[in-house]
Each structure stands twice: as C-alpha cells, then as structure tokens.
Amino acid sequence: MNSPRFPLQPLARHLLTGALLLGGAWAQANEAAAPQAQAQAQAEETDKTKELQQAKTYTVTTAPVEQLHLDPPKLPDLSGYTAEAVNAKIDRSKAGQVVVRRMLQQDTLKDFTGGSGRLREWITRQRGMPHAIFIEGGYVKLSQLAEKLPKNQFEEVEPGVYLARLPIVVAQGATLHIDKDTKELRLSEERGSFLVNDGMMFITDTKVTAWREAANGPATFRKPDDFRPFLVSWGGSELYIVGSTITSLGYNKSKSYGVSITQYTPGTQARLKRPHPTGWLIDSEFVDHWYGFYCYEAEDVVVKGNTYRDNIVYGIDPHDRSERLIIAENTVFGTKKKHGIIISREVNNSWLINNKSYDNKLSGLVLDRNSVNNLVAYNEIYQNHSDGITVYESSDNLIWGNKVLANQRHGIRLRNSTNIRLYENLSAGNKLSGVYGHIKDLSNTDRDIELDPFDTQVSMIVVGGKLAGNGSAPLSIDSPLSVELYRVELLAPSKSSGISFAGILGEKQDEILDLMVRRGKAVLIDPVETQADLHD
C-alpha cells in the first residue's frame, strides 16, 4: 500500500500550534495569502435568493444544556471483518464447471448487450458473435480456467499470471475464487473482458488488472467513454475482496464504473426478484478506476481498511437506497474529478468512521440527496480542493469528532439540511468558513425534483470542538430555522480584527459571544416568527 502524500499529524500540529502560539503573525500571513478566497466568501454570503432578501429577525437566548448532551456514539464492532472470516465463508464442498456460451439472452449480461451500441462493442472486440465464460454449479478456482479453455479465450501467460480474453460470469449458486495462487488476473481491454458475479466471488491475496495487450501494461484511463474492463456484482450475490490490488477498471457506462455491488435494473429485478447484494471489501488497494467503489440498493456492505488512490470521478460512492453500510478506516486521496467519499440518494443508517480523505479535486466527504440517519465520526479530512465535509439536502445526520483541516473552501458546509448535529469537531485552517450553513433554491437547475426533492431550510446544533484560524469566519449561516451553540472554542482568528461571525450570526455576534464565551451558556438563535408560533 502507498503511504499518504500529506501525513496528517504534522499538519495538525502546524495548524494548531501556529494558530494558538503565533497568534496575530500567523493570522496576518493567512489573511494575506488568501485574498481571493476571502472575496469569494463575501460574494457567496451576499448572493441571496428571494427568501433571503426578505430578512428574518432573530433573537438570541439561552438554551437548556441538558437537552444538548449526547454520549459519544456507539461504533460498530469491526473485529469480525477479517481474512479468516472471509475464508470461512467459502464453500468448497461441490466442484463447479466452466463453460463458454453466447452473451445474448443471459440475464446477467443484458445490461451490456441489450442496446445495439453496447452489443456492438463486444461484436467488434470479439470479431463475431460475442461469448462469455460461465462458472456454474459449485466451486471453481481461477487456475482451472486455463486448464479447460483455449488460449484465445483464457491463457496463463507466465506462471500464476492469467489473461482473460472473454467476460467471466459467476452464475447463481456458483463460486469463483481468485486466490493467492493467482499472481495476477489480467482482463483484456482489446477483447472486451470483464467480471460479472451473480453468485459468490472471492478475490483474496492477489491482483486484478484491466490490461492493455498492445502496450503490455495496465489499461490506464484515457477518455470517459473508452471501454475498460470492470467488475459488477448483481442482486443476490456476495462479493469479497481481501488483501488484493485492483487496478484500472471502469468507464462512463451504466453498471461499468469499476468495482460495483448493485441490484439489477428495475425491469430485470421485477422479474428476477433477487435479494439485495452485499459484500466486504477489506484491506485492499483500488487504483485508477472510473469509480473506486460504487453500490446501488446494496445492504450491509463493509468497505474497511482500503486505500483508494488516484481514481477518476469518485473514490468511494455508495448510491441509491443502500442501507447499513460500514465505510471505515479507508484512506482516499488523489480523486481527479470530484469527491473522495460520497454517499448519495437515500443512503441511510450507515457509518462513515475513521477514514482519511485528502487531496481530492472537490470535497473530502459528502452526504447528498436525502441521505439520513448516518454517523460521520472520527474522520480526518484535509487539504481537499473544495470543502472538507459537505452535506447537501440530507437532514438528521450526526457529525462527531472529525478533524477538518486546511481545505480550500469551507471546513464543514451544510446546504438545505436540517437537524445536523456537529459535536466535538475540529475545523481549522480552511480557506473560508469553519462551519458554513446556507439555503439554495435548486428549482431552476437540472435536478429532477421528483427524484431528489429538497426544502430550502437549514438548521444545526454545534456543541464542543474547536474552530481555529479559518479564512473568512469561524461560523457563517443564513436564514436558518435555528442554530444552537455550546462549548465551541473559537481560536486564532485569521482576521487581524479578531473573531467574527458571518451571516445572521454576525448580526448577533456580541450577544452570542457574551452568552457562550463569557458566561459559558448554551445559545439558541431562533427566528422571531418561530418563537411567536410557540406562544400561539
């Protein structure tokens, strides 16, 4: 595994020690170094919608401390997700068989042959009616394919190194094991090879590489729509990847993104009625994929202890209606187009814990499109090229004990999201706000409002933690339903004028600081109309 490019601990020490001990000198340097970011922040905070132009009146009062208390969140037990536990799941009792069949009229392949454009891809690459290798009936090791198939379909090119020149499909009820006896499985880009799992697939202590035969090397990314081999694990299947390196999979076509655990498309699923897919990806490395990891309507997937390096669009991307995911102890960096880690569209009741996400093109970690009841805890999110942690249209989430440092925009950003609880987080040295909350009308965008509804409302509770040396303000929020603040340490202001709030917090700054800092009280910032309604 590659070590991180920017180790966090020296960075954290630099930010906090510099901020706390050097004080004004550090602040002036930061202020001089980021005039463009500060101007950008000011423009962002004054760009109001009609709702914001009709300014609300807010009051600042004390809030009962008791109702803000939360015990540290209970984390899932990760001790059982091991190579030994995976090995115990492998059923070797019944031998399987290897056959070659046409790709047409196979449920597992319809997504890739159903349209004329995609079918043409394989006709061209195989120079005729396309075929695939099917694993059926029981347990098969990868080495058995070389024994049974001609070299133009599957070849051992050197001891323990295999080149697949056809797609490989694991049928329902079958098991394929790519184990340590395989030094490397190469999937031929020229011949249109890929992996499909409709049963049980185990990739343990080995290497899988999309392979460009002409260059005799990995099929490194060129263009979004250029075919590259991929791995997809369908509804009812289980996929286990342990201690392995997976390289250069995926391109910009449906279900072909890289490593995917996904339910069948709605039409096929209505007929097959397969359970939700699942799997574990642990202690492995994923490099140069279109998406490092993608799932759709998956359940109880574990993504733990992996490195996601230099992937193209996303590092880790759980999607639509996936539930009870554990995304833990991963290192994600160098994502080239978008975010390091994102969960999007009703990915609920999941844990994103103890990850490191840095040097990604946009945000380090994102909750998006009505993803609720998730725990984001103890992550280290730093040096990303946009926000650290971003919450878009996703209410009722707990963000606890994260370190969010030196990101190019906001440390923690909330948009159109309510009941976001921010507890014991450190947000320091970010170019714009430490915590930024705002609303935005998305009606006139390309957003499908029926599929992804939203409310222009934002509210947050901020308890404990530190906001230190952020470029424009420690906290900024506009037009909130409510804001509650308690025990928040405000340290090392980047502006020479001292600590300042922005948005509605700026208007009430003296009252807030008096209650929270000088008197140690919990603060409630509430619209007047909300309080009036309470007395009706």
Side-chain angles (χ1 to χ4, degrees):
M1 304 294 178
N2 288 53
S3 60
R5 293 169 179 163
F6 305 104
L8 176 62
Q9 295 307 322
L11 172 67
R13 281 199 301 273
H14 168 74
L15 283 169
L16 287 177
T17 303
L20 296 175
L21 300 183
L22 298 182
W26 185 88
Q28 289 173 8
N30 190 23
E31 190 170 7
Q36 184 177 1
Q38 302 230 9
Q40 194 173 18
Q42 186 175 2
E44 186 172 6
E45 288 160 3
T46 56
D47 181 20
K48 311 298 186 188
T49 61
K50 284 185 178 181
E51 290 85 359
L52 286 177
Q53 290 169 354
Q54 299 170 352
K56 296 179 179 179
T57 301
Y58 288 83
T59 59
V60 176
T61 58
T62 59
V65 171
E66 296 77 13
Q67 67 186 23
L68 297 176
H69 174 77
L70 284 181
D71 290 327
K74 185 177 181 181
L75 304 184
D77 180 5
L78 304 181
S79 63
Y81 302 112
T82 64
E84 292 77 16
V86 169
N87 186 63
K89 292 177 177 289
I90 303 174
D91 182 0
R92 300 174 175 86
S93 62
K94 183 180 178 183
Q97 59 182 349
V98 180
V99 297
V100 175
R101 292 199 178 90
R102 287 186 175 185
M103 290 175 64
L104 292 178
Q105 298 181 342
Q106 299 286 339
D107 285 328
T108 52
L109 299 174
K110 281 188 175 178
D111 269 73
F112 316 120
T113 61
S116 59
R118 300 205 79 178
L119 177 60
R120 190 180 302 117
E121 182 89 62
W122 280 274
I123 292 174
T124 301
R125 292 178 183 277
Q126 294 191 22
R127 304 181 186 92
M129 184 59 64
H131 288 71
I133 301 164
F134 286 80
I135 311 300
E136 298 178 342
Y139 176 83
V140 171
K141 287 183 61 170
L142 188 77
S143 56
Q144 295 174 242
L145 276 65
E147 300 168 5
K148 297 178 180 297
L149 299 172
K151 290 183 178 181
N152 67 335
Q153 296 177 344
F154 192 92
E155 180 181 4
E156 187 173 14
V157 295
E158 56 186 84
V161 178
Y162 300 94
L163 178 63
R165 294 191 172 100
L166 293 180
I168 300 173
V169 180
V170 183
Q172 187 175 2
T175 297
L176 175 64
H177 190 186
I178 307 170
D179 67 356
K180 63 182 180 181
D181 293 337
T182 299
K183 293 181 181 177
E184 184 176 20
L185 169 61
R186 298 170 177 174
L187 304 171
S188 172
E189 178 185 68
E190 287 90 340
R191 296 296 300 277
S193 181
F194 57 90
L195 298 173
V196 173
N197 179 32
D198 201 39
M200 301 279 283
M201 182 182 289
F202 296 85
I203 301 174
T204 61
D205 301 306
T206 187
K207 187 174 184 179
V208 177
T209 307
W211 197 255
R212 192 165 288 145
E213 291 192 66
N216 196 33
T220 51
F221 175 74
R222 289 174 172 170
K223 297 178 182 178
D225 294 330
D226 285 359
F227 169 83
R228 293 199 301 174
F230 55 88
L231 189 166
V232 61
S233 195
W234 286 124
S237 70
E238 297 181 31
L239 172 66
Y240 298 91
I241 300 177
V242 185
S244 297
T245 298
I246 318 294
T247 303
S248 297
L249 301 185
Y251 69 123
N252 188 30
K253 293 291 184 182
S254 175
K255 310 298 185 181
S256 307
Y257 303 132
V259 176
S260 302
I261 297 178
T262 173
Q263 184 56 276
Y264 278 101
T265 49
T268 304
Q269 170 59 7
R271 180 167 51 83
L272 298 181
K273 295 181 172 55
R274 299 296 299 277
H276 295 279
T278 192
W280 300 356
L281 283 64
I282 59 177
D283 301 327
S284 295
E285 186 172 26
F286 300 85
V287 184
D288 183 42
H289 302 300
W290 183 242
Y291 294 0
F293 171 72
Y294 172 84
C295 69
Y296 170 92
E297 294 187 354
E299 292 187 351
D300 304 302
V301 174
V302 177
V303 180
K304 172 185 171 289
N306 305 294
T307 296
Y308 288 84
R309 172 170 60 85
D310 297 329
N311 295 292
I312 310 305
V313 181
Y314 301 111
I316 298 174
D317 179 29
H319 231 276
D320 300 57
R321 297 172 296 282
S322 294
E323 292 265 351
R324 298 183 305 280
L325 311 180
I326 295 175
I327 301 170
E329 300 177 1
N330 302 286
T331 299
V332 184
F333 63 96
T335 307
K336 299 179 186 302
K337 290 183 180 289
K338 294 190 178 181
H339 313 298
I341 302 171
I342 176 172
I343 64 173
S344 183
R345 192 173 288 136
E346 298 178 52
V347 177
N348 302 333
N349 305 309
S350 296
W351 297 266
L352 297 88
I353 55 175
N354 288 306
N355 301 286
K356 293 182 181 180
S357 183
Y358 63 92
D359 190 30
N360 299 293
K361 180 67 174 179
L362 294 180
S363 296
L365 191 155
V366 180
L367 309 183
D368 183 44
R369 299 182 188 236
N370 300 299
S371 295
V372 303
N373 297 327
N374 298 294
L375 173 64
V376 178
Y378 308 116
N379 300 286
E380 298 175 355
I381 311 293
Y382 56 101
Q383 291 184 337
N384 295 287
H385 299 216
S386 185
D387 304 324
I389 296 175
T390 306
V391 181
Y392 284 154
E393 292 77 52
S394 294
S395 299
D396 304 318
N397 290 294
L398 175 59
I399 300 175
W400 184 291
N402 301 281
K403 296 177 180 177
V404 188
L405 306 174
N407 297 287
Q408 289 296 306
R409 289 183 62 76
H410 306 288
I412 301 173
R413 177 181 180 180
L414 317 178
R415 185 183 76 189
N416 298 340
S417 303
T418 58
N419 190 32
I420 302 300
R421 294 169 294 165
L422 304 168
Y423 276 64
E424 309 300 344
N425 298 287
L426 166 64
S427 183
N430 301 290
K431 286 289 182 68
L432 300 182
S433 299
V435 175
Y436 177 53
H438 68 119
I439 66 173
K440 184 175 182 180
D441 188 352
L442 305 174
S443 301
N444 295 321
T445 67
D446 59 0
R447 188 184 187 94
D448 184 331
I449 302 302
E450 283 193 21
L451 184 61
D452 298 310
F454 69 95
D455 292 317
T456 51
Q457 297 178 338
V458 63
S459 70
M460 67 175 78
I461 299 171
V462 187
V463 175
K466 297 180 176 67
L467 303 175
N470 296 291
S472 60
L475 289 101
S476 174
I477 185 165
D478 280 309
S479 198
L481 290 178
S482 67
V483 182
E484 293 182 74
L485 307 172
Y486 180 55
R487 288 195 299 102
V488 184
E489 293 188 55
L490 306 173
L491 305 171
S494 62
K495 294 181 178 179
S496 55
S497 58
I499 289 170
S500 63
F501 293 143
I504 65 101
L505 298 179
E507 300 169 10
K508 302 292 183 180
Q509 177 169 314
D510 290 342
E511 297 173 72
I512 294 169
L513 292 176
D514 179 61
L515 283 173
M516 185 176 71
V517 178
R518 298 183 185 94
R519 299 169 57 188
K521 302 284 189 180
V523 178
L524 172 63
I525 301 102
D526 220 8
V528 168
E529 55 266 39
T530 299
Q531 294 184 351
D533 290 342
L534 292 176
H535 294 292
D536 285 345

